[in-house]
Amino acid sequence: MEAEGLDWLLVPLHQLVSWGAAGAMVFGGVVPYIPQYRDIRRTQNAEGFSAYVCLVLLVANILRILFWFGRRFESPLLWQSVVMILTMLLMLKLCTEVRVASELGVKRRFFADFDPHYFWHWSSFADYVQCVLAFTGIAGYITYLSIDSALFVETLGFLAVLTEAMLGVPQLYRNHRHQSTEGMSIKMVLMWTSGDTFKTVYFLLNGAPLQFSVCGLLQVLVDLAILAQAYVFARHPPKPAPHAVHPASTKAL
């Protein structure tokens, strides 16, 4: 009787928590990029951030949206992909503008050149948009032709979340290559870790496809590896090479 009397409070409270969790899933993924965006805008230097992070997230979320057409999952995860794609395009626009402004006298590169040596290192934001549209069109057409194949759909879902799980790998490799995390926002990585942990728990509690949970755990491990790099490189910074000059136009992998 007492439990029934509390229904008027528990039911709307449960609904409120569900809405909050859904909202966190939709918008929580973009929050880590706010401090990095502000740092790049303030310093006019994008070398510490790997533009390949944007590539990984764009591919992962485009594939996830296509996976939705073959196997419907929760709407917050679908809208999260839409919001993340828009966010990564904004990050790419800023990084491209900052990089090109510092590359005075450097030959301009375009997507239409189809030069693999300069893939994802073009001179205009429009070229990145062309690449994203081309990938979406090709992947979408293949999905349309194969949507009735359960094997294709499950493989597509696995590729989507596996690609997203590799999100931190470009940053991990860049840090290792330079033996430094200078220019990388520690706040961004901390938010990656907390967000990916929350997301993985959300997957497990809401019965998301198995691919989501497994790759979510892998993503958390990569985040922790990047944090370990930050700790190690801060305690044991590399000795600067004599007479070394750090060019302003160096590519960030």
Side-chain angles (χ1 to χ4, degrees):
M1 194 75 177
E2 184 179 348
E4 292 179 2
L6 290 176
D7 282 351
W8 66 272
L9 176 62
L10 296 178
V11 172
L13 183 61
H14 180 268
Q15 188 67 51
L16 187 63
V17 171
S18 298
W19 287 344
M25 280 301 302
V26 174
F27 298 104
V30 307
V31 173
Y33 299 96
I34 295 175
Q36 185 70 69
Y37 185 93
R38 295 178 63 183
D39 286 348
I40 294 173
R41 195 177 183 86
R42 176 176 54 82
T43 63
Q44 289 298 295
N45 187 333
E47 291 179 19
F49 177 73
S50 174
Y52 286 97
V53 169
C54 298
L55 173 62
V56 170
L57 277 175
L58 285 168
V59 170
N61 285 282
I62 289 169
L63 292 179
R64 187 197 284 185
I65 291 173
L66 294 176
F67 176 52
W68 182 84
F69 287 100
R71 181 177 175 184
R72 300 297 170 91
F73 47 80
E74 289 196 333
S75 295
L77 298 178
L78 177 65
W79 285 109
Q80 181 198 46
S81 292
V82 175
V83 171
M84 184 60 74
I85 288 172
L86 295 175
T87 302
M88 289 303 100
L89 291 174
L90 286 174
M91 286 292 296
L92 270 178
K93 185 174 186 298
L94 176 63
C95 290
T96 305
E97 291 172 350
V98 169
R99 176 172 52 80
V100 171
S102 67
E103 292 181 338
L104 300 178
V106 177
K107 182 181 178 181
R108 296 178 66 82
R109 303 289 178 177
F110 303 97
F111 170 66
D113 294 338
F114 298 111
D115 186 345
H117 294 96
Y118 288 91
F119 176 77
W120 212 249
H121 197 75
W122 301 303
S123 303
S124 170
F125 172 66
D127 292 288
Y128 292 94
V129 175
Q130 291 173 27
C131 180
V132 170
L133 290 176
F135 173 77
T136 303
I138 294 171
Y141 182 65
I142 294 173
T143 302
Y144 174 75
L145 295 177
S146 310
I147 198 68
D148 293 329
S149 169
L151 177 62
F152 173 83
V153 171
E154 292 301 324
T155 302
L156 182 64
F158 179 75
L159 288 176
V161 291
L162 180 63
T163 304
E164 185 175 357
M166 296 296 103
L167 163 65
V169 172
Q171 192 69 52
L172 188 73
Y173 175 71
R174 183 210 167 275
N175 296 343
H176 173 72
R177 192 182 65 167
H178 293 279
Q179 290 294 292
S180 170
T181 57
E182 183 180 358
M184 182 192 75
S185 172
I186 300 299
K187 291 180 182 178
M188 177 187 72
V189 183
L190 287 171
M191 290 180 182
W192 275 356
T193 308
S194 58
D196 291 337
T197 301
F198 170 80
K199 182 171 63 177
T200 303
V201 172
Y202 182 90
F203 291 156
L204 293 169
L205 294 180
N206 287 274
L210 180 62
Q211 301 102 312
F212 284 67
S213 301
V214 172
C215 292
L217 291 171
L218 179 59
Q219 204 167 351
V220 172
L221 293 176
V222 174
D223 296 340
L224 293 175
I226 296 176
L227 287 175
Q229 283 183 324
Y231 175 77
V232 171
F233 294 152
R235 288 181 60 87
H236 306 285
K239 295 180 181 179
H243 308 297
V245 178
H246 184 66
S249 61
T250 301
K251 296 181 190 176
L253 214 197

